[in-house]
Amino acid sequence: MSSTPANHPRVVIIGAGIVGCSLADELTARGWTDVTVLEQGPLPAPGGSTSHAPGLVFQTSPSKTLTAFARYTVEKFTSLQVEGVSCFNPVGGLELATTPERLADLHRKAGYAASWGVRGEIVSAARCKELWPLIDQSAVLGGFHTPDDGLARAVLAARAQMERATERGARFLDRHTVTGIEQEDGKVTAVVTDRGTFPADHVVSAAGFWGPVIGRMAGIDVPLQPLAHQYAKTKQLPELAAATPNATSEATPNVTSEATRQTAPEATPQATAGTTSHAPTDASKPILRFQDRDLYFREHHDRIGIGSYAHKPLPVDPFGTLPYDEARANDMEMPSSYPFTEEDWAPSWDDCRWLMPALRETEIEEGFNGVFSFTPDGMPVLGESRGLRGFWLAEAVWVTHSAGVAKAVAEWMVDGRASIDLHECDLTRFEDAQRSPSYVRERGSQQFVEVYDVLHPLQPMEHPRPLRVSPFYARQQELGAYFLEGGGWERPHWYEANAPLVDGLRLPERDAWSARYWSPIAAAEAKATREKVALYDMTPLRRLEVTGPGALDFLQRMTTNNLRKKPGAVTYTLLLDETGGVRSDLTVARLAPDRFQVGANSPTDLDWLARHAPGGGTSRSSEAESGGVRIRDITSGTCCIGVWGPLARELVQPLTRDDFSHEGFGYFRAKETYLGHVPVTAMRLSYVGELGWELYTSADLGLRLWDTLWEAGQEHGVIAAGRSAFNSLRLEKGYRAWGVDMTDEHNPFEAGVGFAVRMDKDGFVGQEALQGLATEEPARRLTPLLLDDPVSVVLGKEPVYVDGAPAGYVTSASYGYTLGRCVAYAWLPALPTGTGVHIEYFGEKVPATVAEEPLFDPKMNRIRR
């Protein structure tokens, strides 16, 4: 099959919902005009989630990326209109608090809004009543008002973008059911439908809750669980009818006609040709969230639409979902609309009438259970599959984020990268253990339950656990480890066995929020690490093995630092994209001329390296081999213990015949040796700012390694320490955490890791984009802050104010037990040391000062001894 020129690729998008239409518009706007959009249902309302979506767009999220998606969606849909009617109704948003806990959470959410650039403010109960007169003011403590939020007219927006894309050359074909994905040599070649085959260089699955079905055709797992969600409409309310004189007195149309009606809006004085109308009869009050009862509300002319997350999860099998015509033949309005379950609705209806007394005089006129998609972590699934090149996913995307996602995916396809960080959405982010159907179903269902919950940033999912454990798990349990979970791994955060060490420590009292998932034991563990020696379980950190005659040249090309060193050298280096953005940071140990061990961050690092390996890796597994380079993920078969503290050498040296002195085993060096009976790869590294080693061995010998170190350490007062102490110690030392402190939105020099870049090295990815930046003063920096008050604590993502205005946001934060102050790193304009700033924590402006880094042991005396 012949291929088209690279600048005129053939793109087939599967699904003409809001995501597919938005993507067609974004691609054709960038010059990729050979775009075919295939849809199994009728256009413009094909019966997927878009056709029934209530259209609420609340922009603010704990995720900076999701907020950016939503902001662009508002911006774009506001600019679109069909027959004079805007595709976005900017009625604003209002979130209510009926409990002190929720009000505190709204203050935290207001902080997110300030961090990410969304207008919003905390308002009184009286102001909430002004904005929504139907609520019972006595039930409300306050609210969070976001004036730029509103209602997306999803079907209308899909139609507007469909028309624009069609004008540029795209075609939209409805009543085409996809039956197969053709491929050759690991590359997609065509999409097969019941009405013909469509050649393609790129295929994008934007099929919504049918995504797993399309993925199976391509041989790609799509970690997505569809769930049904209740939505109901009241009968006509006199209070709304009086406020909207143009409102129709007829019964609300059924869901299908409602969706169709959006494409042919009723005539109003404002909806005349050439004039933008926000259709005031549709809604004039803010979209409303009553999250304490898992409810949301919006106006439908003279009725109220109500959505509920309060009911039990109702998983839907995407492989059993009926096509449009079969659904209609089975008395369903559309494939995404299931019968309303009255028994689930009753408690929510009571809560609605408690909040809005006017509802006590009316009834629910109609309702349905609408299907939409959840992932194990609640984020979209985006990107190109390595298992099938040219096959892309744009799945698990809500209307709120649709245009923003489409823009990012279009940039990714056309330019090779998106203009914003997408690591939270990358389809490769899930571990193999997180892709089983049962895991996806269980975690996806829990995401539904927790949509409106007040969630702590450290709060883990409770099931299924434990899933992944290190070889030391039994010993950790014996020591009373308090485990949190990440990437499926059980990670000790502190050990109850160390509780006696807290005696005598003077620690500031914490507020209830920062005290969650924290213990004063963490302070004792940090102190013991600084004064004696501690064992840290580093097993969950990703380890790759890169081997072969081409391994050195490949890694030299892929990373920023010089790896052309003798075996035994360990190097801190970076993975950059072509624009110079930091994709990841790595530690690379050269263990032999053609064998390297790479300490990485996530599955996306393996994917990135495999894609760039000579010949390009297409393996779906945890390894790739081509062109004299083999890349293998060895994490699950190995384990690691960090032995850190001033007595680390006294603990380790008696266990080996090799010289572990500073002269015999220097900093950033590696040795393969034995500790007792256990073969280990020892690396002289420290992520906590103390003398010590990372000790690696195979998983089967891990428990023996732990016991060997534990027994030898008793005379030195060894303890086991957890990630809570670890995070405090690394922040005191200024060590960055990729994905939190820096991403591909940042270059190495502004992120403070320019020391890992060798600009005189030949030809590494991103080098050209960095030309000149090393000698320029960055306009922004990852900035260390010390909170002025030793009692104050922040946790991350809070806005930072300079001269009274939001100027940036906190990335990582933890109390520095050695320093006696909370340490916070933040992205800010370049500021002189000593500059005073304020961090907003639950509505309170906490003073902090720009500090000089490293904050602890600036001369590296403790590590290099």
Side-chain angles (χ1 to χ4, degrees):
M1 185 176 295
S2 63
S3 169
T4 55
N7 59 336
H8 294 290
R10 299 163 299 186
V11 180
V12 174
I13 299 171
I14 301 172
I18 190 63
V19 178
C21 291
S22 296
L23 181 57
D25 183 49
E26 295 287 341
L27 285 172
T28 56
R30 288 166 173 77
W32 281 23
T33 55
D34 190 350
V35 175
T36 301
V37 184
L38 302 175
E39 174 53 58
Q40 67 170 347
L43 292 175
S49 300
T50 300
S51 300
H52 67 68
L56 282 70
V57 179
F58 284 94
Q59 298 173 83
T60 306
S61 165
S63 165
K64 180 174 179 285
T65 298
L66 287 186
T67 302
F69 288 158
R71 288 182 63 189
Y72 183 76
T73 299
V74 168
E75 175 187 331
K76 184 175 187 181
F77 288 3
T78 299
S79 72
L80 298 175
Q81 55 179 286
V82 174
E83 298 177 16
V85 175
S86 173
C87 295
F88 188 76
N89 185 358
V91 292
L94 179 62
E95 301 183 50
L96 300 178
T98 60
T99 65
E101 293 77 15
R102 181 66 63 181
L103 185 59
D105 189 59
L106 294 185
H107 277 284
R108 187 165 62 106
K109 186 166 287 186
Y112 293 146
S115 290
W116 316 143
V118 176
R119 285 203 304 154
E121 63 173 341
I122 299 296
V123 296
S124 67
R127 177 59 176 153
C128 292
K129 177 73 171 178
E130 291 176 9
L131 292 166
W132 253 93
L134 271 62
I135 66 171
D136 180 356
Q137 181 178 331
S138 67
V140 177
L141 300 180
F144 176 47
H145 182 221
T146 45
D148 300 323
D149 290 342
L151 291 164
R153 299 187 174 102
V155 176
L156 206 64
R159 175 181 161 186
Q161 294 176 101
M162 190 187 313
E163 291 174 353
R164 295 205 313 189
T166 301
E167 290 173 359
R168 302 185 190 113
R171 56 177 176 167
F172 290 76
L173 304 176
D174 62 1
R175 303 292 188 176
H176 281 65
T177 299
V178 174
T179 59
I181 307 291
E182 293 186 349
Q183 52 185 285
E184 184 177 333
D185 297 327
K187 177 78 171 65
V188 72
T189 57
V191 176
V192 182
T193 76
D194 58 351
R195 297 175 66 178
T197 299
F198 297 84
D201 302 297
H202 296 273
V203 173
V204 185
S205 177
F209 56 81
W210 283 289
V213 178
I214 301 300
R216 180 175 291 183
M217 295 178 192
I220 304 300
D221 291 331
V222 181
L224 174 162
Q225 176 61 55
L227 288 110
H229 161 59
Q230 288 196 312
Y231 193 77
K233 291 180 185 176
T234 68
K235 290 184 175 181
Q236 185 184 53
L237 289 170
E239 296 86 347
L240 293 183
T244 54
N246 291 330
T248 175
S249 60
E250 298 175 2
T252 305
N254 62 38
V255 175
T256 302
S257 59
E258 169 74 3
T260 306
R261 186 187 58 76
Q262 291 189 59
T263 69
E266 61 189 285
T268 68
Q270 291 81 11
T272 55
T275 303
T276 299
S277 167
H278 294 303
T281 56
D282 183 32
S284 60
K285 298 174 182 60
I287 50 178
L288 185 68
R289 277 175 167 170
F290 178 23
Q291 293 162 300
D292 288 322
R293 294 293 186 273
D294 296 308
L295 294 165
Y296 63 82
F297 305 82
R298 60 152 295 180
E299 291 174 279
H300 288 283
H301 304 280
D302 53 0
R303 294 158 172 79
I304 293 180
I306 307 166
S308 172
Y309 293 101
H311 57 85
K312 65 181 182 293
L314 301 170
V316 173
D317 180 5
F319 296 91
T321 305
L322 298 176
Y324 186 91
D325 290 327
E326 288 186 39
R328 297 286 286 174
N330 283 270
D331 296 323
M332 296 173 63
E333 294 290 353
M334 61 181 79
S336 59
S337 175
Y338 279 61
F340 193 63
T341 48
E342 295 281 355
E343 65 278 10
D344 294 316
W345 177 252
S348 290
W349 185 229
D350 289 339
D351 291 331
C352 293
R353 291 181 291 181
W354 177 79
L355 179 68
M356 297 186 187
L359 298 182
R360 299 168 189 169
E361 306 303 321
T362 189
E363 298 175 355
I364 294 301
E365 185 169 66
E366 60 174 306
F368 67 100
N369 289 0
V371 182
F372 62 138
S373 303
F374 287 82
T375 59
D377 60 4
M379 298 294 288
V381 181
L382 312 178
E384 183 186 21
S385 168
R386 181 163 53 92
L388 179 58
R389 285 171 291 134
F391 183 79
W392 295 75
L393 296 179
E395 298 291 10
V397 182
W398 296 5
V399 171
T400 302
H401 310 114
S402 54
V405 163
K407 178 188 178 188
V409 172
E411 290 172 337
W412 203 346
M413 295 176 70
V414 175
D415 304 326
R417 75 179 297 274
S419 57
I420 65 171
D421 169 48
L422 297 180
H423 83 273
E424 293 178 310
C425 309
D426 196 307
L427 64 88
T428 64
R429 70 188 183 272
F430 294 110
E431 306 280 354
D432 289 343
Q434 297 174 301
R435 290 181 172 273
S436 71
S438 58
Y439 184 95
V440 172
R441 179 187 175 98
E442 192 165 349
R443 285 292 172 99
S445 297
Q446 188 62 26
Q447 288 292 337
F448 178 92
V449 171
E450 294 182 351
V451 163
Y452 282 169
D453 285 1
V454 176
L455 298 176
H456 192 278
L458 293 177
Q459 184 170 334
M461 289 277 187
E462 294 302 327
H463 304 284
R465 289 180 63 191
L467 182 63
R468 307 176 78 186
V469 298
S470 78
F472 327 126
Y473 184 65
R475 298 294 184 263
Q476 292 166 343
Q477 287 181 304
E478 292 169 3
L479 293 171
Y482 184 88
F483 293 99
L484 297 179
E485 183 259 1
W489 289 100
E490 294 297 318
R491 304 182 182 207
H493 273 242
W494 64 83
Y495 294 84
E496 289 297 330
N498 297 324
L501 301 178
V502 176
D503 294 343
L505 291 184
R506 299 182 63 182
L507 297 172
E509 186 175 346
R510 289 203 170 203
D511 65 276
W513 186 252
S514 65
R516 290 184 67 185
Y517 304 104
W518 174 86
S519 168
I521 295 172
E525 293 176 357
K527 185 174 186 290
T529 306
R530 291 277 189 240
E531 296 179 354
K532 294 184 179 181
V533 62
L535 306 185
Y536 287 82
D537 181 1
M538 305 301 289
T539 301
L541 299 185
R542 183 159 305 277
R543 292 171 291 285
L544 308 177
E545 183 182 71
V546 182
T547 57
L552 174 60
D553 289 341
F554 169 65
L555 289 173
Q556 278 284 84
R557 177 171 61 87
M558 293 305 300
T559 68
T560 60
N561 214 333
N562 181 27
L563 306 181
R564 203 173 294 280
K565 302 173 183 177
K566 293 180 180 179
V570 181
T571 306
Y572 177 80
T573 188
L574 308 173
L575 289 180
L576 305 182
D577 63 22
E578 287 78 2
T579 69
V582 181
R583 282 194 58 93
S584 189
D585 62 341
L586 313 174
T587 53
V588 180
R590 191 175 191 185
L591 302 178
D594 59 356
R595 179 165 62 92
F596 296 81
Q597 182 170 309
V598 178
N601 284 295
S602 74
T604 60
D605 293 340
L606 172 63
D607 182 75
W608 178 259
L609 291 171
R611 288 177 188 273
H612 287 81
T618 60
S619 171
R620 295 183 179 91
S621 69
S622 59
E623 62 180 85
E625 184 172 5
S626 59
V629 178
R630 185 188 188 200
I631 308 168
R632 188 165 64 98
D633 189 332
I634 61 172
T635 308
S636 297
T638 57
C639 59
C640 178
I641 300 174
V643 183
W644 291 312
L647 302 183
R649 185 173 286 116
E650 280 85 342
L651 189 159
V652 175
Q653 183 63 80
L655 300 173
T656 179
R657 294 180 178 180
D658 282 303
D659 184 0
F660 270 58
S661 70
H662 183 62
E663 295 74 22
F665 197 155
Y667 192 53
F668 267 87
R669 299 293 297 173
K671 283 185 180 182
E672 293 182 293
T673 184
Y674 287 87
L675 294 181
H677 299 286
V678 181
V680 300
T681 299
M683 298 186 196
R684 178 106 183 261
L685 303 175
S686 175
Y687 206 54
V688 298
E690 295 293 334
L691 169 69
W693 288 265
E694 293 179 359
L695 304 174
Y696 299 88
T697 191
S698 55
D700 60 321
L701 290 168
L703 189 59
R704 184 63 179 262
L705 176 62
W706 179 280
D707 289 344
T708 299
L709 294 169
W710 187 257
E711 181 179 351
Q714 291 308 300
E715 65 180 288
H716 304 295
V718 71
I719 67 162
R723 292 189 66 83
S724 186
F726 176 87
N727 197 47
S728 171
L729 295 169
R730 71 100 180 166
L731 281 171
E732 288 185 330
K733 195 60 184 168
Y735 293 146
R736 277 61 168 151
W738 183 84
V740 179
D741 297 317
M742 57 187 180
T743 69
D744 61 7
E745 292 184 0
H746 311 110
N747 72 56
F749 305 107
E750 60 191 6
V753 289
F755 63 86
V757 178
R758 295 290 179 265
M759 290 300 294
D760 57 349
K761 192 176 81 164
D762 291 337
F764 62 83
V765 174
Q767 184 177 30
E768 185 176 348
L770 298 184
Q771 294 295 336
L773 293 181
T775 57
E776 294 179 2
E777 185 71 18
R780 62 175 180 175
R781 281 183 176 150
L782 184 61
T783 305
L785 303 174
L786 280 175
L787 274 63
D788 294 351
D789 186 343
V791 174
S792 298
V793 174
V794 298
L795 300 181
K797 300 187 178 181
E798 296 90 353
V800 181
Y801 289 75
V802 178
D803 296 329
Y809 59 92
V810 174
T811 57
S812 295
S814 180
Y815 199 85
Y817 302 109
T818 316
L819 301 174
R821 292 285 190 281
C822 182
V823 180
Y825 272 77
W827 279 103
L828 290 169
L831 298 171
T833 299
T835 301
V837 301
H838 287 85
I839 303 173
E840 183 178 330
Y841 182 71
F842 287 92
E844 179 186 354
K845 300 294 197 305
V846 178
T849 302
V850 174
E852 187 76 30
E853 64 175 342
L855 304 172
F856 176 78
D857 188 26
K859 295 184 179 180
M860 303 284 283
N861 292 329
R862 300 177 69 90
I863 294 177
R864 302 177 185 273
R865 60 180 175 182

